Amino acid sequence: MATLLPMNYSNGSAPLTPSKHLSLRFSVHLSSKKTRRWLDADAVKLPRYHSLQLQPLSKSKTGPISATMATGSGKEVLPPVLTSNSEPPPVFDGTTRLYISYTCPYAQRVWITRNCKGLQDKIKLVPIDLQDRPAWYKEKVYPPNKVPSLEHNNEVKGESLDLIKYIDSHFDGPSLFPDDPAKKEFAEDLFSYTGSFSKANNSTFKGEADEAGAAFDYIETALSKFDDGPFFLGQFSLVDIAYAPFIERFQPALLEFKKYDITAGRPKLAAWIEEMNKIEAYNQTRREPKQHVETYKKRFAAHL
């Protein structure tokens, strides 16, 4: 017997009224198979349901994604990391593959985007051990020998900021980029600042210059520009995805090694971190703070 399960309704608006006709997405649990499936139904007339709350069906390139991002409900079983001893996948067989490292912040950007778009079944993760890279990755997949890279339509593309935009525009799922011209322009400014942001924090860890404070002041100011939500562009977008992996790492490392709390005196940043941590599509990619601390301890051992 199929049981109708309500979607997570989190956008703050009132529940749907029984008389409305619209496209809906239902999560149906088939108890006999212990699985979930999506059913799309157009022009469904809602019966009386009292407290049942249903979420309008998101379609490609329409409407902002919900802040709670329940996309890909359930914890994804991650594939094992491939090393120099691992056999290559059947490259260019029509499968879309995202080559990543579980520890790389650049790869994490694209991984988050994949999850937010609900593409876990359409884009296969292929994790690479960056300390023991398979020779076939450079020879057969991506000559620059870096992650992330995306194998799609018999081509392999790289560069994380390019890839998050590519996935958002070329695959189905909720849009992760605004239509508003002012927000688009500001988004490009923030994309351009990502390199300077990382460099400033890394310089602080190296003891070359204490630039982390100024970098996070820039972030606090950026988060204050739009007042229609807690994210960089008000609503959640690719910009948040671009910064999240790095702030996830810098926050515990700066606190551990520099005794510097990035949220002190920065309420917008504190609220942003709190909201980001509610996003399931992001949480599925996160690592424990102590793991980041250990990574930075090894990376900057000569300076800490």
Side-chain angles (χ1 to χ4, degrees):
M1 180 177 179
T3 304
L4 180 65
L5 301 177
M7 291 288 294
N8 182 25
Y9 192 90
S10 58
N11 63 5
S13 60
L16 301 173
T17 60
S19 61
K20 285 189 177 179
H21 293 250
L22 72 171
S23 296
L24 298 174
R25 172 173 284 174
F26 302 96
S27 174
V28 177
H29 177 68
L30 303 181
S31 58
S32 61
K33 295 185 178 180
K34 305 293 184 183
T35 59
R36 282 178 178 261
R37 297 180 183 174
W38 293 114
L39 297 179
D40 292 341
D42 291 327
V44 174
K45 188 166 185 176
L46 300 179
R48 298 175 109 186
Y49 56 82
H50 301 292
S51 62
L52 178 63
Q53 296 175 324
L54 302 175
Q55 185 180 39
L57 173 60
S58 295
K59 293 191 176 182
S60 178
K61 306 179 185 66
T62 60
I65 191 167
S66 166
T68 53
M69 227 78 61
T71 303
S73 59
K75 191 72 173 179
E76 180 179 10
V77 178
L78 300 178
V81 175
L82 301 184
T83 68
S84 60
N85 295 320
S86 303
E87 291 294 319
V91 182
F92 304 129
D93 64 346
T95 302
T96 301
R97 296 181 176 90
L98 175 60
Y99 297 86
I100 66 168
S101 163
Y102 291 139
T103 64
C104 173
Y106 298 96
Q108 189 181 358
R109 285 172 169 170
V110 193
W111 184 9
I112 297 168
T113 305
R114 162 195 179 263
N115 291 356
C116 288
K117 299 285 284 186
L119 299 171
Q120 288 88 335
D121 293 333
K122 294 184 179 180
I123 300 180
K124 182 178 180 180
L125 289 182
V126 183
I128 300 292
D129 185 340
L130 297 182
Q131 307 305 316
D132 187 21
R133 304 183 199 206
W136 52 257
Y137 181 62
K138 180 178 181 180
E139 295 167 358
K140 298 182 178 181
V141 180
Y142 192 50
N145 204 25
K146 302 185 297 182
V147 294
S149 69
L150 181 72
E151 177 189 340
H152 182 234
N153 288 343
N154 292 320
E155 294 181 345
V156 178
K157 306 176 185 297
E159 300 301 327
S160 62
L161 292 179
D162 293 337
L163 288 179
I164 64 175
K165 295 175 183 179
Y166 180 86
I167 289 176
D168 188 42
S169 61
H170 285 77
F171 290 85
D172 290 341
S175 175
L176 297 172
F177 205 65
D179 294 323
D180 181 270
K183 291 188 175 184
K184 283 184 175 181
E185 182 179 359
F186 190 54
E188 294 302 328
D189 291 341
L190 290 171
F191 286 141
S192 297
Y193 183 69
T194 55
S196 298
F197 177 70
S198 296
K199 183 178 179 180
N201 281 279
N202 289 336
S203 294
T204 299
F205 288 118
K206 293 177 182 178
E208 297 173 349
D210 188 10
E211 298 178 352
F216 279 102
D217 284 344
Y218 181 98
I219 296 298
E220 179 72 11
T221 300
L223 286 167
S224 305
K225 184 172 179 65
F226 296 104
D227 59 4
D228 58 331
F231 300 102
F232 281 102
L233 305 182
Q235 301 303 307
F236 182 82
S237 73
L238 292 177
V239 176
D240 303 288
I241 292 173
Y243 280 91
F246 295 89
I247 294 177
E248 173 188 324
R249 287 158 174 77
F250 294 150
Q251 183 181 22
L254 285 169
L255 188 60
E256 175 71 19
F257 301 117
K258 300 297 182 179
K259 309 305 177 188
Y260 184 70
D261 180 2
I262 66 171
T263 63
R266 299 187 182 99
K268 296 288 186 180
L269 177 59
W272 179 86
I273 292 173
E274 182 179 354
E275 292 302 316
M276 284 297 303
N277 289 341
K278 296 176 183 178
I279 298 175
E280 182 58 28
Y282 165 55
N283 286 333
Q284 291 176 6
T285 73
R286 290 173 61 195
R287 305 181 76 215
E288 292 294 329
K290 62 182 180 181
Q291 293 178 297
H292 293 312
V293 168
E294 286 302 312
T295 297
Y296 275 71
K297 184 177 181 180
K298 294 176 182 178
R299 181 179 176 184
F300 298 108
H303 307 284
L304 298 175

